[in-house]
Amino acid sequence: MPKITKILGVGAVLACLAGAGFAETEAKDLGPDTVVATVNGTDITLGMMVAVRNALPAEYKQLPDELLFDGVLDQLIQQTALAEIGEGMMTHRDEITLEVDRRAYLAGMLLDYTARRAVTPETLQEAYDAKYAAAEPTREFHAAHIIVPTKEEAEAILADIQGGADFAEVAKEKSQDGAAANGGDLGWFGLEQMVQPFAEAVASMKDGDVKGPVQTEYGWHVVKLLESRLGTAPTLEEASDDLAGDLRQKAVEDRVNDTIAKATVEKHIEGIDPAVLKDPKLTGEE
C-alpha cells in the first residue's frame, strides 16, 4: 500500500491545484460525509480524510495544510482503487483477519472512551486526597552502592572502604552498573522503589553508615546511606500526571472485568490441541 511519505513527495506539484479546490468549497456546509472524490463510483469523504490525517505521525501534521490535504486525498484515491481489485481477491482468511481487526478497533475505541472519561478535576482531587491528604510522611533515602557479581568481591570492597578507601572512587573503579560513573550515587528514593533485601538494609542504616554485602537478584551490594529525610507530599499539579494514569488504568481494568463478568462466555476447546494454531492449513501457508 502506498505510504504517505511517497504521496507527500508529489505534493509540491499538486499544491498548485489546491487553491481552486478550496475556493470552491468555502461556501459549502462541510461535514464528515462531504464527498471530496469518487473512484469508480465509490465515495471518498472528508471524514475519511480526517481519519487518515489523525493517524499520521506528528511530523506530517506540521506540513502546510494544502500539501497535507492533497497528500491524504491522493493516498485515499490510491487505496480505494486498489481495494476494489483486492476485494475481488479476498479469501476466507482475509475475511477472518478483517473481522478480528474490526473487533479490536471497536474494543480499543470503547477503552479509549472509558479512559478519557475517568479523568476529571473531581476524580483527580479525590484520588489526590485518598493518596496524600491523610497519608503519614514517609522517609526518603539518598544512598550510593557498589555492585559486583560475587560475595567475596563485595566483602573485599567493604574491607577497603572500612580501611579508609573513598566510597565514590571505589564505585567508579569496581561497581558494575550504570551508577558507577556517578560514584554509585542512586539519588533520592523511597523504599518501595527498591528491591528486597536492598530496601530492608537501607531502612536499618543511619546517615553515613556503610553496609554489606547485601545480595539481590542483581548481584552483591555494598551500600552507603548518604542522608535521609521525611518526604513531603507533592502538590496536586505535580502528582496529576501519575494520578491520571492510575485513574485511566483502573477505569479500563474495571470496564474489562465488569464487561466479562456480565457476558455469557462459553469455551468450546475440549479436545483441541493448542499446537493447532501453527497448522499451515489454518495459517494460510499451504
Side-chain angles (χ1 to χ4, degrees):
M1 184 175 293
K3 295 183 178 179
I4 192 70
T5 50
K6 294 182 179 179
I7 295 167
L8 295 178
V10 300
V13 177
L14 297 174
C16 64
L17 303 176
F22 282 108
E24 292 175 1
T25 59
E26 281 178 358
K28 293 182 179 179
D29 292 327
L30 302 179
D33 296 325
T34 299
V35 175
V36 291
T38 56
V39 179
N40 296 330
T42 299
D43 290 340
I44 297 171
T45 67
L46 273 179
M48 296 175 184
M49 294 187 67
V50 170
V52 171
R53 187 263 181 198
N54 288 346
L56 290 174
E59 59 266 29
Y60 291 117
K61 295 178 183 177
Q62 305 304 315
L63 291 170
D65 290 342
E66 294 86 353
L67 183 63
L68 187 58
F69 186 96
D70 284 326
V72 169
L73 181 56
D74 198 36
Q75 174 175 339
L76 281 167
I77 288 171
Q78 293 179 42
Q79 286 179 344
T80 304
L82 293 168
E84 182 179 0
I85 299 172
E87 190 169 4
M89 301 170 59
M90 281 184 60
T91 64
H92 185 49
R93 178 190 176 198
D94 297 323
E95 293 172 349
I96 292 171
T97 300
L98 286 175
E99 177 58 22
V100 170
D101 289 344
R102 186 186 75 87
R103 295 183 190 184
Y105 176 83
L106 292 174
M109 176 187 68
L110 175 62
L111 294 181
D112 286 344
Y113 170 81
T114 301
R116 287 195 307 271
R117 287 176 57 87
V119 181
T120 66
E122 293 75 22
T123 59
L124 277 175
Q125 185 66 58
E126 290 173 5
Y128 178 84
D129 292 343
K131 188 170 184 178
Y132 296 110
E136 293 292 329
T138 58
R139 186 159 293 277
E140 297 175 340
F141 302 86
H142 181 195
H145 79 149
I146 300 168
I147 183 169
V148 288
T150 68
K151 182 179 181 181
E152 292 73 22
E153 290 174 277
E155 289 174 336
I157 288 170
L158 178 62
D160 288 343
I161 292 170
Q162 289 174 335
D166 182 77
F167 190 99
E169 292 304 318
V170 176
K172 290 177 182 178
E173 179 184 350
K174 296 184 177 180
S175 189
Q176 299 183 17
D177 77 337
N182 295 322
D185 194 335
L186 298 171
W188 286 97
F189 56 85
L191 293 179
E192 73 281 356
Q193 297 173 258
M194 295 297 174
V195 296
Q196 295 291 0
F198 186 94
E200 183 179 353
V202 170
S204 68
M205 297 168 68
K206 296 179 180 179
D207 292 1
D209 282 355
V210 176
K211 190 170 186 176
V214 178
Q215 186 183 22
T216 71
E217 59 191 283
Y218 302 105
W220 291 87
H221 307 254
V222 177
V223 187
K224 181 174 184 178
L225 180 58
L226 302 173
E227 53 184 325
S228 60
R229 66 188 181 192
L230 282 177
T232 57
T235 64
L236 175 59
E237 183 177 1
E238 291 169 339
S240 61
D241 286 347
D242 287 341
L243 293 173
D246 292 343
L247 286 168
R248 293 188 189 100
Q249 181 176 347
K250 185 178 186 307
V252 166
E253 290 174 354
D254 288 348
R255 169 73 80 169
V256 172
N257 293 334
D258 182 63
T259 300
I260 295 303
K262 293 177 179 177
T264 302
V265 179
E266 300 174 6
K267 293 184 179 180
H268 309 285
I269 58 176
E270 186 176 351
I272 297 178
D273 182 352
V276 71
L277 297 181
K278 298 183 288 188
D279 188 333
K281 293 192 297 294
L282 293 177
T283 61
E285 297 171 11
E286 282 191 355

